[in-house]
């Protein structure tokens, strides 16, 4: 009875030669003994386990003992030999390490970003993967979350079988005066339902959390970060009183470190019980908390029953919604086309997940292409390196080294290249992470401001580097195993000649093709960003500063608000360097507008009103913003008096004028009167001026139709934006603005103070970052391709010295020799470029959605790529070409 | 040198098994002896490694014997305890007895 053959073979391979026969025989004894006691099946399983365990234990012992342990000396010697070989070829080693390092760094960085943005658990939340983000939304991709009323929320929490718990939060902004002497500051926070924080498993770092059934309306839990910043971590903060929107609140606890809400990136720093909402949201009363028609709760989180799927949730919710509509006709918080959707896990808002995944996917494809290019390059380098050592390998064969030993030696070398290249890649990746932390990526919908290179990502990157290097070394290892002692007699030039050249040329063509794909992508992105930068904004972004205040939180309304705005305008205008100041609501350059609808005179009843976004602005704002007139005049203070009666004066943008009176010149719009929808008695508005189009909300697409109404047309119910035109550097106005606001309205915080140019640039952040990354990767790819081309040509020159010498001796001119080399280099580059440009048609589809003002067949980009590749090929071919000319005919002919 | 250099309980057991088996101590035999005496499964690779460690510490020595008479086995490596190994075993036993002194009640019987 013999042990299983495969296991026996495995075991024999792990044993040192001198011990093999003895140990195998003894294992056979043990196998037979077990088989006789426990049966053959159990004995076989035992033997299989030992066959795996033996090599592992021996390897551990070898590592522990080092040289002197039977078999260890061979491995260590091979490893040392590999290290010495690498040290003796520093150029090859350095280039290989850099090549591999760059590819690994790119992939590690993208993987790290993807993990951080998409897979990172929400800090401070226990078991976020067992919870689900629940949204009331419309049936359209990318729908925002709509709020639900308190009673509707209770209905769903109590009657949805798919949920074992459902809680919600109401996000809010507030002005916090911590009472520590620091200026009031704008803070994000949330009011939460009774069990919200418990559902998230949030354990306060100090004190208690908020939201309990009987929680007092003046309780507040502060965030850990805020606690450190404003109270320096003083445990005595619990029990102190702070002022939020000028109202006193008692601090009852501190949130755990890292917790900033249930979503990523989190921004909440204060949490209040539901009962506090009426004191935090102007216009909200206590009765609204129990009014089924008042929708307050949008940040919903649920624990799903085991086995409940998102589809099941949606179906059950539809049925329950219909029941609620039947039970409370006209008195609920969801329209007919709303659905309740559950998204497993907490993290990025569902709306952001798709676009972030798309962006990361694009970057991943770019990084993957670069890594592939690097591995191809590495393979070429390794093969050329191997060919240069044919003589050494033949010598070792002649001295008795086995084929396996030679192959193992090559693989050890590649293992070292992989290990060192991996560490080089991790160093580059760490630098890339530092750059990501500093980059403002808020427009991505994600934040990387605390991203770190985790051990998991580092280990994966290192493993990929070693695996890639070993893969690239397979060819050379096989070549080493095929070395023959007879190669010594042939002068070690048995490299396969033409076949080798073809293989290397093929590798170069592939590299050039990959590089061309990356360059096309990068080129199109660069042209796109340039086109975005040329979009005329319609307002002055260079000499202006913006900031926000939210006076309604402090009870300012009606005349008191008007008085505040007037006084602030005067005082801000007195700041040195400020040319003009004004206010508007809502904030432009932010993307959310109130809508304004007008109907054309004489339009049929069923014609839809033309919709525009609405700004309510002081005359000072129009002056400060630098908006220009196409016709008519700006609004004045006198217009404010006429803002609420008769024909109310308005400004319209060109885009809106085109909707109201298609084809009519702007000047003809001045003086025209339009009505709101609602018949002949609806509000009338007279156009006093037509503005040139402005791009406030984004640079893509058509300009947004805009209406500007005079200040006093109705009290703005949101935050106000102040605009200052300055005569100097806009970035220095911040402290003066804060001082003036504090003097005029203590307790009111001025926030978001920044030059308008920075806000406009933020609209393009995502494009710029993706473009920068793609271009950087493309240029690195070009460099690697040129390096590969140079290597092939240099190798060819060294291989064909004799032939070149013969040609020179027969009278070939230097120009002819150089021309031959350069022509060959250009041919390879041309083949690669043709393949790459064809392949880039498919690749460009990945970034089609990002392109602006440039077609995907943009001739300028393609021509630029061809020119770059040509220059790179010429540069790569130059040195080898020159070297070919310098070979003395006599020396070349006497080589053999 | 020889005294007090046994490391760990397993090495101790392997050395004892070699001492018990006298001239018949080869790896498989040591494995079987330990399994029989302790009632627990023993890893052959662990015994293999321990024997080589003991040999490097000169607590045992080994000899490779060519295929036996009648071909009952191929070459085998036999281990034998050295005087140093014996001294180490005695020292280990003395240590154990010193540590047990006064704890006879825990032993559940006579000391």
């Amino acid at each position: 009875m013999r042990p299983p053959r495969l296991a026996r073979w495995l075991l024999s391979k792990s044993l040192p030669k001198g011990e093999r026969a003895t140990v195998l025989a003894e294992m056979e004894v043990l196998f037979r003994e077990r088989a006789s006691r426990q049966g053959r099946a159990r004995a076989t399983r035992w033997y299989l386990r030992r066959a795996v365990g033996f090599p592992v234990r021996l390897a551990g012992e070898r590592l522990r003992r080092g040289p002197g342990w039977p078999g260890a000396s061979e491995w260590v010697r091979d490893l040392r030999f590999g290290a010495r070989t690498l040290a003796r070829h520093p150029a090859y080693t350095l280039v290989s390490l850099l090549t591999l390092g760059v590819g690994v760094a790119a992939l590690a960085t993208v993987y790290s970003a993807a993990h951080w943005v998409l897979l990172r658990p929400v800090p401070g939340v226990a078991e976020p993967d067992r919870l689900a983000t629940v949204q009331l939304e419309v049936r359209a991709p990318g729908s925002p979350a709509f709020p639900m009323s308190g009673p509707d929320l209770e209905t769903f929490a109590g009657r949805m079988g798919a949920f074992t718990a459902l809680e919600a939060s109401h996000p809010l902004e507030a002005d916090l005066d911590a009472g520590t002497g620091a200026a009031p500051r704008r803070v994000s926070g949330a009011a939460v339902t009774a069990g919200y924080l418990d559902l998230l498993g949030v354990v306060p770092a100090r004190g208690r959390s908020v939201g309990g059934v009987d929680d007092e309306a003046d309780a507040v839990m502060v965030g850990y970060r805020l606690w450190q910043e404003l109270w320096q971590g003083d445990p005595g903060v619990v029990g102190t009183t702070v002022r939020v929107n000028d109202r006193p609140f008692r601090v009852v606890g501190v949130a755990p470190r890292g917790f900033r809400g249930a979503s990523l990136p989190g921004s909440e720093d204060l949490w209040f019980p539901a009962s506090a909402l009426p004191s935090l949201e102007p216009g909200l009363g206590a009765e609204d908390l129990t009014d089924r028609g008042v929708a307050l709760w949008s940040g919903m989180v649920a624990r799903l029953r085991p086995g409940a799927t998102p589809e099941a949730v949606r179906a059950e919710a539809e049925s329950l919604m219909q029941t609620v509509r039947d039970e409370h006709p006209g008195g609920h918080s969801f329209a007919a086309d709303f659905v309740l959707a559950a998204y497993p896990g907490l993290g990025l808002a569902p709306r952001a997940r798709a676009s972030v995944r798309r962006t990361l996917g694009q970057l991943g494809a770019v990084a993957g292409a670069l890594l592939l290019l690097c591995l191809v390059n590495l393979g070429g380098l390794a093969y050329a390196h191997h060919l240069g050592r044919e003589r050494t390998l033949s010598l070792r064969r002649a001295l008795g080294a086995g084929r396996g030993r030679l192959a193992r030696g090559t693989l050890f070398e590649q293992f070292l290249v992989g290990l060192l290249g991996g560490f080089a890649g991790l160093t580059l990746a760490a630098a890339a992470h530092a750059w990501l932390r500093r980059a403002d990526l808020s427009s991505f919908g994600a934040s990387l401001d605390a991203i770190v290179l985790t051990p998991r990502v580092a280990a994966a990157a290192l493993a990929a580097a070693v695996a890639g290097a070993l893969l690239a070394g397979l060819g050379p290892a096989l070549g080493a195993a095929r070395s023959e002692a007879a190669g010594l007699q042939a002068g070690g030039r048995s490299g396969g000649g033409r076949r080798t050249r073809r293989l290397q040329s093929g590798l170069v063509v592939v590299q050039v093709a990959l590089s061309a794909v990356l360059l096309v992508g990068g080129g199109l992105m660069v042209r796109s960003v340039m086109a975005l930068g040329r979009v005329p904004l319609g307002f002055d972004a260079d000499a202006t500063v913006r900031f926000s205040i939210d006076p309604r939180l402090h009870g300012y309304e009606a005349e008191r608000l008007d008085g505040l705005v007037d006084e602030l305008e005067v005082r801000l205008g007195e700041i040195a360097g400020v040319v003009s100041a004004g206010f508007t609501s809502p904030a432009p350059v932010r993307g959310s507008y109130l809508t304004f609808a007008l109907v054309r005179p004489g339009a049929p009843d069923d014609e839809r009103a033309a919709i525009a976004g609405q700004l309510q602005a002081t005359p000072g704002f129009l002056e400060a913003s630098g908006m220009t007139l196409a016709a008519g005049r700006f609004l004045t203070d006198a217009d404010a008096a006429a803002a609420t009666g008769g024909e109310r004066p308005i400004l319209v943008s060109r885009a809106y004028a085109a909707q109201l009176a298609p084809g009519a010149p702007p000047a003809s719009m001045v003086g025209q009167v339009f009505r709101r929808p609602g018949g002949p008695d609806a509000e009338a508005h007279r156009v006093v001026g037509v503005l040139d189009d402005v791009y406030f909300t984004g640079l893509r697409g058509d300009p947004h139709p805009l209406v500007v109404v005079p200040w006093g047309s109705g009290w703005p119910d949101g935050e106000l934006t102040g605009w200052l035109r300055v005569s100097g550097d806009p970035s220095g106005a911040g402290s003066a603005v804060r001082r003036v606001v504090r003097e005029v309205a203590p307790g009111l915080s001025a926030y978001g103070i920044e030059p308008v140019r920075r806000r406009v640039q933020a609209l393009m952040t995502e494009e710029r970052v993706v473009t920068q990354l793609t271009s950087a990767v493309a240029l690195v790819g070009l460099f690697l391709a040129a390096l590969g081309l140079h290597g092939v040509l240099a190798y060819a020159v060294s291989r064909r010295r004799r032939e070149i010498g013969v040609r020179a001796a027969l009278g070939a001119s230097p120009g002819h020799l150089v021309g031959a080399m350069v022509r060959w280099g250009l041919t390879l580059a041309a083949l690669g470029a043709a393949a790459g440009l064809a392949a880039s048609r498919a690749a460009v589809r990945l970034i089609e959605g990002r392109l602006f003002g440039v077609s995907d067949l943009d001739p300028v980009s393609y021509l630029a790529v061809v020119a770059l590749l040509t220059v790179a090929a010429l540069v790569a071919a130059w040195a080898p070409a020159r070297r070919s000319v310098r070979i003395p005919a006599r020396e070349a002919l006497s080589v053999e | 040198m020889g005294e007090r250099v046994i490391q760990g309980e397993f090495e101790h057991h392997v050395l004892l098994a070699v001492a018990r088996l006298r001239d018949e101590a080869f790896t498989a035999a040591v494995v079987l002896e330990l399994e029989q005496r302790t009632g627990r499964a023993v890893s052959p690779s662990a015994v293999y490694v321990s024997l080589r460690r003991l040999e490097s510490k000169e607590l045992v020595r080994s000899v490779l014997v060519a295929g036996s008479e009648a071909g009952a086995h191929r070459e085998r490596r036999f281990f034998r305890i050295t005087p140093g190994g014996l001294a180490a075993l005695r020292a280990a036993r003395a240590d154990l007895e010193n540590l047990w002194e006064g704890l006879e009640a825990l032993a559940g019987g006579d000391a």
Side-chain angles (χ1 to χ4, degrees):
Chain A
M1 193 188 306
R2 305 210 69 189
R5 233 184 256 173
L6 179 62
R8 192 173 184 280
W9 179 83
L10 266 172
L11 184 58
S12 71
K13 288 300 161 197
S14 72
L15 294 167
K17 241 184 207 164
E19 303 272 331
R20 202 168 283 171
T22 314
V23 172
L24 284 175
E26 299 201 29
M27 286 294 290
E28 203 167 312
V29 166
L30 290 169
F31 172 78
R32 283 204 213 103
E33 192 275 336
R34 258 168 184 68
S36 70
R37 261 196 301 125
Q38 299 169 337
R40 192 191 163 85
R42 288 187 75 167
T44 303
R45 282 198 296 276
W46 172 87
Y47 196 93
L48 282 167
R49 280 201 305 276
R50 296 294 161 242
V52 171
F54 224 115
V56 171
R57 192 179 289 272
L58 288 188
E61 190 67 11
R62 278 190 194 118
L63 278 173
R64 194 185 79 88
R65 296 287 295 271
W69 183 251
S73 54
E74 250 184 32
W75 285 43
V76 172
R77 266 203 301 274
D78 287 342
L79 212 53
R80 279 201 190 127
F81 187 75
R84 273 204 302 272
T85 308
L86 290 177
R88 274 204 301 269
H89 297 84
Y92 158 74
T93 305
L94 204 60
V95 172
S96 297
L97 296 190
L98 272 176
T99 301
L100 190 56
V102 163
V104 165
L107 209 59
T109 304
V110 173
Y111 177 53
S112 189
H115 187 265
W116 180 264
V117 170
L118 291 170
L119 302 172
R120 178 170 61 110
V122 179
V125 173
E127 300 178 317
D129 48 309
R130 294 188 58 202
L131 301 171
T133 305
V134 175
Q135 251 184 206
L136 192 62
E137 57 185 34
V138 294
R139 289 175 216 268
S143 164
F146 290 89
M148 194 186 272
S149 66
D152 281 342
L153 187 70
E154 274 176 33
T155 302
F156 277 91
R159 289 157 73 170
M160 280 279 289
F163 297 151
T164 60
L166 175 68
E167 302 284 346
S169 67
H170 172 101
L172 49 85
E173 306 280 320
D175 285 342
L176 170 70
D177 184 346
T180 57
R185 60 159 64 187
R186 183 76 159 180
V187 170
S188 298
V192 298
T193 54
Y196 180 82
L197 293 172
D198 282 340
L199 178 62
L200 295 180
V202 169
V203 178
R206 288 265 185 262
R208 66 171 179 84
S209 63
V210 295
V213 172
D214 301 315
D215 214 347
E216 300 93 332
D218 67 342
V220 64
M221 181 173 78
V222 302
Y224 193 95
R225 194 184 77 134
L226 204 63
W227 175 45
Q228 294 295 317
E229 206 181 315
L230 293 180
W231 288 277
Q232 287 75 48
D234 176 13
V237 68
V238 176
T240 61
T241 299
V242 298
R243 296 190 76 79
V244 179
N245 299 344
D246 272 335
R247 291 181 181 84
F249 279 83
R250 215 166 24 88
V251 176
V252 300
V254 177
R257 183 199 281 266
F259 179 68
R260 296 195 73 198
S263 60
L264 293 175
S267 61
E268 292 165 11
D269 286 312
L270 293 176
W271 293 271
F272 305 88
S275 49
L277 263 178
S279 21
L280 295 167
E281 290 285 13
L284 202 67
E287 65 284 359
D288 294 322
L289 296 178
T290 51
D291 187 333
R292 198 173 275 272
V294 177
L296 295 171
W297 303 102
S298 55
M300 289 187 274
V301 176
R303 177 169 290 122
L304 298 184
R305 198 169 292 285
T309 60
E311 293 73 25
V313 167
R314 190 177 275 234
E316 190 184 351
E318 264 194 62
S319 159
L320 187 53
M321 275 183 191
Q322 190 53 52
T323 305
V324 172
R325 287 190 194 101
D326 294 339
E327 289 173 1
H328 306 276
H332 54 79
S333 57
F334 36 84
D337 53 350
F338 277 18
V339 295
L340 196 73
Y343 297 89
L346 302 183
L348 275 186
R351 198 176 175 188
R353 287 181 199 183
S355 78
V356 168
R357 262 199 207 103
R358 211 174 28 247
T359 301
L360 286 171
Q362 288 165 353
L363 292 174
V366 167
L370 181 63
L371 181 64
L372 188 59
L373 211 160
C374 292
L375 288 179
V376 170
N377 204 312
L378 197 67
L381 285 169
Y383 196 69
H385 176 65
H386 155 72
L387 290 173
R389 293 175 50 230
E390 279 176 323
R391 200 174 165 77
T392 310
L393 291 167
S394 299
L395 185 64
R396 290 182 71 193
R397 273 296 276 153
L399 291 173
R403 294 182 194 283
R405 183 104 188 259
L406 293 181
R408 193 171 67 211
T410 307
L411 287 175
F412 269 135
E413 241 180 75
Q414 286 299 111
F415 172 77
L416 286 172
V417 166
L419 204 60
L420 294 171
F423 280 115
L426 289 179
T427 309
L428 290 172
H433 280 65
W435 178 82
L436 282 174
R437 279 194 293 273
R438 284 196 302 272
D440 172 18
L441 299 169
S442 48
S443 75
F444 269 113
S447 167
L448 298 173
D449 60 358
I451 189 174
V452 289
L453 188 58
T454 61
R456 174 201 180 121
V457 173
L462 212 53
V466 169
L470 287 173
L471 192 65
L474 273 181
L478 282 171
R482 283 204 290 263
S483 301
E484 296 292 353
L488 275 178
Q489 292 167 342
R493 293 195 181 277
S494 59
R498 183 173 280 180
R499 199 192 62 205
T500 303
R501 261 210 310 283
R502 277 213 202 105
L503 175 65
Q504 287 191 305
S505 302
L507 285 176
V508 167
V509 167
V510 169
Q511 285 172 57
V512 172
L514 282 171
S515 170
V517 169
L518 290 172
L519 284 170
V520 166
L524 289 174
M525 294 284 311
V526 166
R527 296 265 291 158
S528 185
V529 168
M530 286 167 63
L532 279 171
R534 285 194 295 269
V535 170
L537 295 170
F539 59 93
D540 185 352
D542 288 312
T544 43
V545 176
R546 65 167 298 286
F547 66 95
S548 297
I549 53 174
D550 202 342
R552 66 182 175 118
L553 294 180
H554 299 258
Y556 283 92
E557 49 186 48
E559 290 83 10
R560 198 164 160 242
L561 180 62
D562 271 354
L564 173 71
V565 167
D566 286 342
E567 191 178 349
L568 280 173
E569 273 197 358
V570 167
R571 292 289 306 276
L572 289 168
E574 289 169 356
I575 297 175
V578 171
V579 173
S580 54
F583 282 88
T584 181
S585 173
V589 207
R590 196 177 157 190
S592 59
Y593 286 116
L594 296 174
T595 54
F596 192 92
L598 291 174
V599 293
R600 297 188 300 116
D605 288 340
D606 59 351
E607 183 178 296
R608 292 183 68 151
I611 309 284
Q614 176 195 185
L615 281 184
Q616 187 177 163
T618 64
F621 165 77
L622 292 166
E623 190 190 330
S625 68
M627 290 160 77
T628 54
L629 282 167
R633 63 168 177 83
F634 281 129
L635 296 169
T636 64
D637 286 324
D639 290 321
T644 51
E647 291 171 355
R648 303 165 194 218
I650 57 171
L651 298 174
V652 298
S653 67
R654 272 185 188 262
Y656 198 38
Q659 282 188 26
L660 292 170
S668 68
M669 293 292 294
V670 178
Q672 286 213 35
V673 176
F674 298 89
R675 288 195 180 274
R676 299 281 217 144
D681 296 325
E683 256 175 43
H685 295 270
R686 174 185 296 277
V687 175
V688 301
V690 178
L691 295 167
D692 286 317
D693 282 321
V694 286
Y695 281 86
F696 275 139
T697 58
L699 299 171
R700 294 173 177 267
D702 295 324
H704 198 88
L706 191 66
V707 165
V708 181
V709 301
W711 194 262
S713 302
W715 314 114
D717 64 352
E719 60 183 21
L720 309 185
T721 299
W723 278 60
L724 308 177
R725 174 178 286 278
V726 298
S727 58
D729 175 15
S731 55
S735 53
V737 168
R738 272 191 210 98
R739 177 182 50 80
V740 164
V741 169
R742 204 171 173 183
E743 282 169 7
V744 171
L748 181 66
S749 74
Y751 54 92
I753 306 173
E754 60 182 346
V756 173
R757 173 57 66 187
R758 195 184 303 164
R759 177 56 62 116
V760 169
Q761 279 171 350
L763 295 173
M764 285 182 20
T765 296
E766 195 176 328
E767 270 91 2
R768 277 190 298 113
V769 167
V770 172
T771 301
Q772 282 169 358
L773 287 172
T774 310
S775 307
V777 164
L779 288 174
V780 169
L782 180 67
F783 172 72
L784 291 173
L787 205 64
L789 185 62
H790 170 89
V792 164
L793 294 174
Y795 175 74
V797 166
S798 71
R799 278 295 192 220
R800 295 164 68 186
R801 286 174 77 86
R802 187 182 164 85
E803 176 196 337
I804 295 168
V806 165
R807 285 194 187 186
L810 291 176
S813 67
H816 181 84
L817 293 171
V818 166
M821 275 295 132
V822 169
R823 263 197 308 278
W824 189 27
L826 285 175
T827 306
L828 290 180
L831 285 171
L837 292 179
S840 66
R841 295 287 300 124
V844 159
R845 279 203 198 98
L846 278 177
I847 57 167
E848 230 166 14
R850 290 197 182 279
L851 299 181
F852 175 82
V854 62
S855 111
D856 55 349
L857 280 174
D858 177 45
V860 172
S861 301
Y862 279 80
L863 281 173
V865 168
V866 169
L868 259 177
L869 287 172
T870 307
V871 167
L874 284 172
V875 168
W878 184 247
R882 292 273 298 170
R883 219 175 293 140
S884 71
V885 168
R886 289 206 194 107
I887 296 174
R890 189 164 41 90
E891 183 193 312
L893 289 172
S894 71
V895 151
E896 296 308 312
Chain B
M1 196 172 65
E3 294 178 356
R4 300 176 197 272
V5 293
I6 300 173
Q7 277 175 337
E9 186 185 59
F10 189 76
E11 234 174 70
H12 191 182
H13 289 182
V14 168
L15 195 55
L16 279 168
V18 169
R20 290 189 78 86
L21 290 168
R22 294 176 172 269
D23 295 330
E24 292 301 316
F26 54 97
T27 305
V30 171
V31 168
L32 291 170
E33 178 71 12
L34 287 173
E35 285 184 344
Q36 195 189 346
R37 291 269 165 189
T38 64
R40 295 192 293 270
V42 173
S43 162
S45 58
V47 169
Y48 176 92
V49 165
S50 291
L51 284 170
R52 273 139 191 88
R53 281 189 196 164
L54 288 168
E55 190 174 16
S56 72
K57 289 188 271 196
E58 297 179 8
L59 300 181
V60 301
R61 61 179 161 77
S62 73
V63 60
L64 192 63
V65 174
S68 77
E69 63 282 348
H73 61 77
R74 299 189 200 113
E75 58 185 25
R76 257 185 197 156
R77 187 172 288 280
F78 287 87
F79 293 84
R80 209 176 160 83
I81 194 164
T82 61
L86 277 172
L89 276 179
R90 287 186 195 114
R93 183 177 174 165
D95 287 343
L96 213 53
E97 283 173 355
N98 283 335
L99 286 166
W100 267 102
E101 202 178 300
L103 295 176
E104 291 78 7
L106 290 180
D110 293 333

